Amino acid sequence: SYGEKPVSEADVVASLATARAEEAPDVTNAYSNLGYAALGVVAGRAGGNTYRDGLRERLLHPIGMRATAFAAGDVPPDRLALPYARTGKGKIEPALSKHYGEGAGDLFSTVNDLARFAALQLSAYPPRSTNDDGPVKRSSLREAHQPRAHGIPFRMWSRPDPVPGKRDAWGRVGS
């Protein structure tokens, strides 16, 4: 089956007891799966819900992302496309999830649902003072689009491929 057993909220909270920062706050930026997993726990508790239910009720369903799932097992097998990655030896294998906690990502979606998510992002432009009744304020979306080292939802970037003559490689950062 795809991936390992998901990390529970209790696992995330227990891990915080032994977690140590790599640097003092505001010295440097470093991505942390545990940090995002903990943020998911905090967001869920602050909303009086789990992260999964809160995200579904406050964002996914209001913008019509009803086919997006939190686990491969929630996707019909004939509709599940597994991710693949090239290993260090050049072999292509399934890229199994590490299940770092729901706040750190790991959604399964459809092209139609991703188009709805993209439409939400684009709805922030141009800035305007008309009614702002979406699930996320347009000003908050624009703020999330500002360059930062980490934490930008679905920001696309390009970098030269290390092999001369090859095209740029595209990826995303953030969660």
Side-chain angles (χ1 to χ4, degrees), residues 74-146:
D74 296 336
V75 179
D78 62 327
R79 298 193 44 88
L80 180 63
L82 295 176
Y84 286 82
R86 189 175 303 277
T87 67
K89 296 180 180 179
K91 185 177 177 186
I92 297 176
E93 296 180 345
L96 300 180
S97 173
K98 301 289 190 247
H99 289 291
Y100 292 114
E102 291 176 348
D106 229 10
L107 286 175
F108 295 83
S109 198
T110 65
V111 171
N112 288 337
D113 274 10
L114 290 175
R116 290 177 181 97
F117 184 79
L120 172 69
Q121 301 299 314
L122 295 172
S123 74
Y125 302 97
R128 56 201 178 276
S129 59
T130 57
N131 212 13
D132 193 359
D133 57 358
V136 181
K137 288 186 177 185
R138 291 186 302 264
S139 60
S140 296
L141 290 169
R142 289 190 303 275
E143 183 178 355
H145 298 158
Q146 297 305 308

Side-chain angles (χ1 to χ4, degrees), residues 2 12 21 23 28 33 36-37 41 54 57 76 81 88 92 100 113 118 127 136-137 139 143 147 157 166 168 171:
Y2 180 79
V12 172
E23 297 282 346
T28 186
N33 284 314
Y36 277 103
V41 170
E57 292 169 13
I92 297 176
Y100 292 114
D113 274 10
V136 181
K137 288 186 177 185
S139 60
E143 183 178 355
W157 54 271
K166 295 272 185 165
D168 283 355

